[in-house]
Each structure stands twice: as C-alpha cells, then as structure tokens.
C-alpha cells in the first residue's frame, strides 16, 4: 500500500471520491461516520446518504454548476446514516476537472451536530432554510440562494418555530443542534 493510500485511508476527516455521483472510494472515517461497510458503499450511488431523492437531486442541481465555475462547492446539510439517523454535515467538494465536475470529485464530510430526531419531521425546503440559518444568512440572502422571496423565507422560518415549539431562531438552532 502506498503512503498516499495509507494517508487517505487513515485521514481523520471523512473523505469520499465519487465518479458520476457513485462512491468510488472512501476512507475509514467516512465509513465510521455513516455506519456502512466499504462493500456496502463502493459502487453505489451517493444518494444512499441523502434524506430523500429530492434532496439528492436538489443538491446536485445547486452544487455542480458551482463546481463547474470554480471547481469547488461547500454547504451544510442533513445526511442519512446506515441506521437512518440524520446528521448535520459540513460538506466540501472539489472536482478533479472543473469542466466536468460530476465525472470525479473528492468530498469531505464533517459532522457539525449529533443525531437530529426533530429534523426528520422537516420538509426538504425547511431543511434548506435551517441549514442557511445555521450559516447565519439573512432572509434576503437565503431567498437569493433558494430562488424564493424574502417573505416566503420568513414564512418558512415562522412555520419552523411553530413546528418545533420554540420562540426564536437561536432556540430553533439549539434544539436541532
């Protein structure tokens, strides 16, 4: 085994190499984070790790154009583990060739919270709003990123507060994190 392969396998950060959104390689930290064996993941669509097919599609539609422009993409999102638990992850990706970002990309996954049972009740759009709240974005910034009006973002935020029985955005984030 080469030093490079040893470094990849034993890196303290969860790493994954995808080819056309299929897991081509992953390291031990990645397997531990998501609770899978290498045999169960290698050759499978990375969609296995998303809360829903819609979320998988939505992230691809947002991420790959960004990678095409600059070769990189990052966000915070919910991901699904082998046991169906949802975890918040900070995800960073780099295309091996920015001209064809889906062809091959290296991804790092950093957990930013523990299991989130409350998050399982959230719609995909609500998860997008919460992820941006966690990033500290304003309603106008969220609206721009999500292609919504600021008022619609405010309605989603109000619905989230009611759904989770909290009175403020900091309480909402504390409950989820």
């Amino acid at each position: 085994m080469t030093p490079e392969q040893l470094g990849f396998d034993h890196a303290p950060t969860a790493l994954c190499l995808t080819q056309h959104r299929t897991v081509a390689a992953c390291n031990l930290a990645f397997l531990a984070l998501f609770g899978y064996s290498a045999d169960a993941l290698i050759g499978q669509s990375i969609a296995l790790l998303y809360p829903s097919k819609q979320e998988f599609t939505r992230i691809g539609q947002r991420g790959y154009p960004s990678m095409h422009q600059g070769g990189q993409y990052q966000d915070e999102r919910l991901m699904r583990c082998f046991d169906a638990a949802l975890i918040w992850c900070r995800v960073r990706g780099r295309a091996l060739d920015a001209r064809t970002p889906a062809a091959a990309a290296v991804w790092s996954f950093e957990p930013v919270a523990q299991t989130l049972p409350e998050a399982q009740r959230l719609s995909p759009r609500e998860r997008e709003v919460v992820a941006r709240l966690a990033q500290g974005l304003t309603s106008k910034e969220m609206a721009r990123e999500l292609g919504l009006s600021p008022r619609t973002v405010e309605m989603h935020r109000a619905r989230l507060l009611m759904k989770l029985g909290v009175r403020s955005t900091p309480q909402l984030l504390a409950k989820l994190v």
Side-chain angles (χ1 to χ4, degrees):
M1 190 173 284
T2 68
E4 292 84 5
Q5 184 64 48
L6 280 170
F8 176 82
D9 288 344
H10 296 281
T13 302
L15 300 173
C16 175
L17 171 67
T18 59
Q19 294 176 322
H20 302 286
R21 300 191 86 184
T22 297
V23 178
C26 55
N27 69 357
L28 297 171
F30 186 88
L31 296 172
L33 177 62
F34 292 105
Y36 281 88
S37 69
D39 291 339
L41 277 181
I42 305 298
Q44 299 297 313
S45 170
I46 193 104
L48 279 175
L49 304 177
Y50 285 78
S52 68
K53 182 70 171 162
Q54 294 86 356
E55 196 88 351
F56 171 73
T57 301
R58 191 182 339 262
I59 296 283
Q61 290 170 341
R62 185 173 50 237
Y64 284 109
S66 175
M67 291 176 87
H68 187 70
Q69 290 177 352
Q72 297 181 50
Y73 177 74
Q74 73 176 33
D75 66 18
E76 287 186 11
R77 68 177 85 134
L78 285 169
M79 300 296 291
R80 183 175 303 280
C81 296
F82 178 76
D83 65 2
L86 296 175
I87 57 171
W88 279 110
C89 287
R90 181 171 295 113
V91 180
R92 293 182 176 101
R94 179 182 302 248
L96 298 186
D97 181 350
R99 293 171 297 180
T100 57
V106 177
W107 300 92
S108 70
F109 294 80
E110 178 186 356
V112 292
Q114 298 301 318
T115 311
L116 303 171
E118 292 90 354
Q120 294 177 357
R121 301 186 345 233
L122 303 181
S123 71
R125 181 65 80 188
E126 289 170 336
R127 288 193 293 270
E128 288 181 331
V129 169
V130 168
R132 281 157 183 80
L133 286 171
Q135 293 172 358
L137 298 182
T138 66
S139 292
K140 284 184 180 181
E141 292 167 329
M142 285 187 258
R144 223 179 348 260
E145 279 193 17
L146 297 172
L148 303 171
S149 74
R151 178 71 183 129
T152 301
V153 170
E154 287 297 326
M155 288 173 40
H156 282 295
R157 185 188 305 219
R159 199 167 326 149
L160 282 162
L161 296 175
M162 286 187 352
K163 186 182 259 189
L164 296 177
V166 295
R167 296 179 186 212
S168 68
T169 299
Q171 288 178 339
L172 170 73
L173 294 174
K175 186 164 189 166
L176 291 173
V177 176

